Amino acid sequence: MLDANMKQQLSQYLGMLREPIELVASLGDDAKSAETRELLETISGLSDKVTATFDGDDDRKPSFVIRRASDASVWVRFAGVPLGHEFTSLVLALLWAGGHPPKVEDEVLDQIRNLEGEYNFEMYFSLSCHNCPDVVQALTLMAMYNPHVNATLIEGGAFKDEVEKRGVMAVPAVFLDGEMWGSGKMDVAEILGKLDTGASAKAAEKLAAKEPFEVLVVGGGPAGASAAIYTARKGFSTGIAAERMGGQVQDTMGIENFISVPYTEGPKLAAALEQHVGEYEIDAMNLLRAEKLIPADKKGGYHEIVFDNGASLKARSLILTTGARWRNLGVPGEAEYRTKGVAYCPHCDGPLFKGKHVAVIGGGNSGVEAAIDLANVVGHVTLIEFDHQLRADQVLQDKLRSMKNVDIIVSAQTTEITGDGSKVNGLTYKDRQSGEEKHVELAGVFVQIGLVPNTEWLKDSGLELSNRGEIVIDEKAATNLPGVFAAGDATTVPYKQIIIAMGEGSKAALSAFDYLIRNEAPEEIAQAA
């Protein structure tokens, strides 16, 4: 199962174990159980600190527990074979069970240890899901550091009947005490924030104690990271406040047009951005959703950003890089059947529709790429485009048209996503040429119709927005408010690309630098400093 290179890497990691661990498997007579046995025998054969037994009696087969030999309360269970995107999660589980310290702030570990109550988590993932590892690793960490947290991590492809019975149609999907609790990408801080009712108040108190910044970047994607690094390098006190570090890049799979890097993946790039930001004296603040901008009352004064936890931060200059999100169809059935057949991530959720008929809405690059990826997994793909022709690059169109299990419908306006009350069963569209309404029976609908800027919170701030809701900026990334700059997908700059966002972020930072050196702080601010 593991090639020579993976075995060598795993052997090196297992050399970091500080104390013995045990692998206890519950197996059946099926092929997946045989694969699990082979994997565990390989792992145990690479370190004398690892033992594997195959006498487990868990109902889920195959599954196995990773536990600390000296403390049976420290454990996590994997059901299925955690390879693919989850191989790193498996390695981390082995290391943490063996006493190797995680690269997590002590404050987070203390918050895990101090959780009160009993938490029994079941989480479903797919091996091709790039959003799942964060959730798998977060729950694993929590189980390793709090004996009252149990985590069973289930590879959906190995337990199709269970997935079907529980209505899991999108991953990652998290159940707590048998009830659906959360879906989508979450890191440990987000999970703790949902469990720890006092977390929001603690975060607000921490923010309130911070001194004003010279530059505050709002948004943590490529534009935000670039802006923060550039201003920090100029010697300014810099903060970056983000709802999610990495931004929408976290949801991007293959990236092949980032110049000098032939191929990377969104989560890897996002991690690299965060690491680069960490190289400088930048105050990085995660899980903060901006709700209000209060502009300075005089040039050079403090602007204020109010966040959803009630706290606020001030800075003499702002760089807004809040990015964009996937656009919703806005038709009946979309919201009702979200995660029940309506999906937005083909890489994450495609394997859950293996052998089934799905639709992709959108004929641009993202829609056609999604259709191509899905055609290799599902039974049949119907691509639906509003325009009279596809808008994707020709090379992608050619690839799509070469696939035998794909239908392409153009000049089609999706009017409704239908279902039986529990899951999607079809889609209705209007032929824009004939006016005739038609229905397609489907198991899933993947929406890929472009982006909408994350700027609703700015509408009453006095900041100029375009008719599309984008922040209007000039050639220097300046807005109509002195000292407020913007960059990336939230702005009027055309062509929403990662590399363009990075360039715009650095431009906004240089403009902020120019603004600050040319506009002294008002006397009251200067005296306070």
Side-chain angles (χ1 to χ4, degrees):
M1 293 186 70
L2 304 181
D3 60 28
N5 183 50
M6 293 178 72
K7 287 181 182 178
Q8 182 180 6
Q9 290 182 30
L10 185 55
S11 179
Q12 292 173 346
Y13 285 125
L14 293 176
M16 301 177 187
L17 295 177
R18 298 185 177 184
E19 58 181 287
I21 61 174
E22 299 172 340
L23 310 178
V24 183
S26 302
L27 305 178
D29 299 324
D30 57 295
K32 286 289 184 183
S33 291
E35 290 178 12
T36 302
R37 177 183 287 273
E38 180 184 349
L39 175 64
L40 301 190
E41 288 176 342
T42 298
I43 295 171
S44 62
L46 293 174
S47 172
D48 58 6
K49 282 189 168 67
V50 182
T51 59
T53 59
F54 303 93
D55 55 356
D57 59 0
D58 192 75
D59 290 337
R60 288 191 183 93
K61 297 180 174 62
S63 69
F64 63 95
V65 165
I66 301 173
R67 71 187 182 197
R68 189 168 296 165
S70 62
D71 185 356
S73 69
V74 178
W75 63 272
V76 67
R77 180 181 297 277
F78 285 93
V81 185
L83 295 180
H85 280 288
E86 296 303 338
F87 181 68
T88 299
S89 302
L90 171 62
V91 172
L92 290 174
L94 295 168
L95 290 175
W96 295 338
H100 187 77
K103 294 181 179 179
V104 178
E105 294 179 0
D106 290 340
E107 182 180 346
V108 173
L109 295 179
D110 287 342
Q111 194 175 359
I112 292 173
R113 293 187 185 101
N114 294 330
L115 279 176
E116 298 180 354
E118 299 287 334
Y119 301 94
N120 294 297
F121 287 103
E122 297 167 294
M123 179 262 177
Y124 294 87
F125 63 89
S126 73
L127 298 181
S128 62
C129 171
H130 60 282
N131 285 329
C132 294
D134 276 7
V135 186
V136 171
Q137 292 163 27
L139 294 176
T140 298
L141 182 69
M142 292 170 62
M144 293 296 177
Y145 278 83
N146 188 323
H148 302 292
V149 177
N150 298 327
T152 298
L153 311 167
I154 306 157
E155 196 275 293
F159 295 89
K160 294 179 182 177
D161 290 344
E162 181 177 333
V163 164
E164 189 81 20
K165 183 178 179 180
R166 299 188 89 163
V168 176
M169 303 187 75
V171 290
V174 181
F175 287 73
L176 176 59
D177 296 330
E179 300 293 329
M180 185 65 180
W181 182 78
S183 62
K185 183 169 184 170
M186 295 180 283
D187 62 18
V188 66
E190 290 173 276
I191 293 173
L192 287 171
K194 292 185 69 173
L195 294 175
D196 184 353
T197 55
S200 180
K202 294 174 187 174
E205 184 179 351
K206 190 174 180 180
L207 284 185
K210 292 183 183 291
E211 294 294 326
F213 297 97
E214 289 176 289
V215 179
L216 176 63
V217 180
V218 184
S226 175
I229 289 168
Y230 263 70
T231 57
R233 285 175 62 86
K234 291 294 185 182
F236 288 127
S237 64
T238 301
I240 180 170
E243 186 174 351
R244 180 174 60 153
M245 289 296 179
Q248 196 187 25
V249 166
Q250 295 272 21
D251 302 325
T252 304
M253 193 55 183
I255 300 171
E256 298 176 334
N257 57 358
F258 191 73
I259 310 306
S260 83
V261 181
Y263 179 83
T264 188
E265 295 177 353
K268 291 181 181 179
L269 179 57
L273 291 174
E274 191 166 358
Q275 181 180 5
H276 198 174
V277 168
E279 295 292 321
Y280 296 91
E281 292 186 6
I282 298 170
D283 190 346
M285 298 159 281
N286 201 11
L287 305 181
L288 292 176
R289 182 196 292 267
E291 282 199 339
K292 187 178 182 181
L293 162 62
I294 303 174
D297 57 8
K298 61 182 68 175
K299 201 169 187 179
Y302 286 134
H303 304 282
E304 183 176 1
I305 298 291
V306 181
F307 298 95
D308 60 351
N309 62 7
S312 65
L313 294 172
K314 293 181 179 181
R316 288 185 58 216
S317 182
L318 298 175
I319 302 177
L320 308 178
T321 64
T322 47
R325 62 188 182 276
W326 293 117
R327 186 182 299 276
N328 292 327
L329 272 172
V331 300
E334 180 182 23
E336 180 183 355
Y337 291 107
R338 191 186 304 271
T339 74
K340 299 176 183 179
V342 174
Y344 301 83
C345 178
H347 303 291
C348 302
D349 302 330
L352 300 176
F353 296 89
K354 187 174 182 179
K356 298 179 180 179
H357 187 173
V358 303
V360 173
I361 313 298
N365 281 350
S366 60
V368 172
E369 287 174 350
I372 291 170
D373 288 341
L374 289 166
N376 290 313
V377 178
V378 304
H380 190 276
V381 178
T382 298
L383 186 142
I384 297 177
E385 165 57 29
F386 181 86
D387 202 355
H388 69 282
Q389 62 183 4
L390 300 184
R391 295 168 285 106
D393 295 342
Q394 192 60 48
V395 64
L396 294 174
Q397 293 190 42
D398 293 343
K399 174 64 176 176
L400 182 67
R401 295 181 193 280
S402 72
M403 307 184 88
K404 296 181 179 180
N405 62 334
V406 174
D407 289 334
I408 300 171
I409 303 174
V410 296
S411 296
Q413 179 181 357
T414 302
T415 57
E416 183 181 7
I417 295 171
T418 62
D420 62 6
S422 61
K423 61 185 178 181
V424 166
N425 63 17
L427 176 151
T428 301
Y429 69 92
K430 182 174 74 173
D431 186 317
R432 296 179 57 235
Q433 293 181 337
S434 68
E436 181 183 359
E437 279 209 342
K438 299 181 180 181
H439 186 78
V440 183
E441 293 186 358
L442 302 161
V445 177
F446 289 80
V447 182
Q448 302 280 300
I449 56 171
L451 302 171
V452 57
N454 296 317
T455 58
E456 292 87 350
W457 63 285
L458 295 167
K459 286 183 178 178
D460 297 321
S461 65
L463 192 75
E464 183 182 359
L465 301 177
S466 72
N467 57 5
R468 294 184 178 181
E470 298 167 321
I471 302 170
V472 177
I473 59 173
D474 64 15
E475 70 279 2
K476 292 185 177 181
T479 72
N480 64 306
L481 298 178
V484 179
F485 303 87
D489 289 0
T491 73
T492 49
V493 167
Y495 312 120
K496 313 304 185 186
Q497 298 290 308
I498 293 169
I499 200 161
I500 292 174
M502 285 184 171
E504 289 293 310
S506 59
K507 183 200 294 184
L510 293 173
S511 294
F513 166 73
D514 186 69
Y515 169 81
L516 289 171
I517 63 174
R518 292 176 185 275
N519 294 276
E520 294 184 358
E523 186 176 348
E524 64 270 21
I525 292 179
Q527 289 176 348

